[in-house]
Amino acid sequence: MSNNNEAITIRFRCPAELEGKIPEPVPASMGLPGWLKAMPTQAFNAMSNREEDTVKRCPPFVDAMTSGFLLPLVCDLKVENGEMTWDNDLPAGGALEFPRSPVGFHDESQVAGSPLFEPDRFVIKFVNLWTIEAPAGYSLFFTHPVNRFDLPFTTLTGLVDCDLFRDGWVHFPARWHDTNFNGVLPKGTPVAQCFPVKRENWVAQTAAMTPDETSRAQELSNRMSREPGLYRRQFRS
């Protein structure tokens, strides 16, 4: 068993020919967007008529963005009038064949009957050239980079048992929602974020609060309103 101070390793491996030629996955704490770094910690709230904290000072908002790992776009992706092009100068594969394009496509029929379906609209798939190995008993929860509403696509969410499926590619289907986007999505742009999830059996237990629990909840609520930053100081691990 590990303690809270012991690091657990997620192993990312790429074909030997690609080492140093494609961007590496990074801890999410190293991939924060410029807008978060630039935004103020406080802004004027017209409803309360005072300066109040922005989401930059919201620990749950920021902690979600800095947890896990970010998977990067393999190369620049140019989008012009709905057409995607790229120049991906990768060496030829050796003992292992690998995809050479940064994106693939799913036919619309694969999402028929879901909210993702749009006639004559493919679902794109970001190509990932890193195999991912989790420790025994762990899965990886893949999703859109957290709170990255600025990105012109939305990556679909999936759960992969990467302790068992560790020698194959995990690619990332996504819906390109900004049909007016024209420009270049730069190499290294995060296209997915992953979180290790330990596989355990869980059950839900519901009950009415006891008098003691009610008292504690009310006391905490009062303290939260009186003491700004209480969660960050006292309850953040």
Side-chain angles (χ1 to χ4, degrees):
M1 297 292 289
S2 64
N3 58 45
N4 289 336
N5 296 319
E6 183 180 341
I8 301 176
T9 301
I10 303 293
R11 291 182 170 85
F12 299 92
R13 299 184 179 92
C14 70
E17 298 89 344
L18 300 184
E19 188 176 19
K21 294 181 172 63
I22 59 173
E24 298 179 353
V26 296
S29 58
M30 295 175 58
L32 291 174
W35 60 259
L36 182 65
K37 298 175 183 178
M39 75 179 294
T41 56
Q42 288 196 317
F44 181 73
N45 185 331
M47 295 181 66
S48 63
N49 199 36
R50 64 183 182 185
E51 294 282 319
E52 293 191 355
D53 288 349
T54 66
V55 293
K56 189 171 184 175
R57 279 192 175 172
C58 175
F61 184 91
V62 176
D63 287 349
M65 296 182 72
T66 57
S67 296
F69 298 87
L70 295 173
L71 286 303
L73 181 64
V74 174
C75 66
D76 288 355
L77 182 65
K78 183 179 180 181
V79 182
E80 190 170 4
N81 299 322
E83 182 182 356
M84 295 181 177
T85 56
W86 55 86
D87 183 8
N88 199 13
D89 186 21
L90 295 179
L96 173 64
E97 295 180 0
F98 50 80
R100 303 186 62 80
S101 63
V103 291
F105 301 92
H106 287 293
D107 185 76
E108 66 201 42
S109 62
Q110 293 187 268
V111 291
S114 79
L116 294 167
F117 179 80
E118 289 185 65
D120 302 319
R121 283 283 301 277
F122 289 103
V123 174
I124 67 169
K125 177 173 64 180
F126 289 110
V127 169
N128 166 46
L129 296 176
W130 296 87
T131 62
I132 309 171
E133 180 181 356
Y138 282 82
S139 300
L140 286 178
F141 181 84
F142 295 94
T143 193
H144 183 75
V146 173
N147 295 327
R148 292 298 307 271
F149 307 107
D150 53 304
L151 295 172
F153 59 86
T154 303
T155 303
L156 277 60
T157 297
L159 187 70
V160 182
D161 296 338
C162 284
D163 55 342
L164 305 174
F165 187 79
R166 59 180 183 266
D167 295 320
W169 313 115
V170 179
H171 302 304
F172 310 118
R175 180 176 182 269
W176 195 276
H177 61 252
D178 187 355
T179 56
N180 295 318
F181 180 91
N182 280 291
V184 175
L185 203 62
K187 176 181 179 178
T189 297
V191 295
Q193 188 165 346
C194 68
F195 303 89
V197 177
K198 189 175 182 181
R199 293 195 297 274
E200 297 178 295
N201 292 324
W202 292 87
V203 295
Q205 183 185 74
T206 61
M209 287 183 177
T210 65
D212 180 57
E213 290 167 342
T214 301
S215 177
R216 293 203 315 266
Q218 185 59 53
E219 180 183 354
L220 178 58
S221 178
N222 293 341
R223 288 189 64 195
M224 294 285 284
S225 62
R226 291 196 312 265
E227 304 174 40
L230 178 65
Y231 173 84
R232 182 169 56 249
R233 294 193 309 272
Q234 187 168 328
F235 298 102
R236 197 183 194 187
S237 65

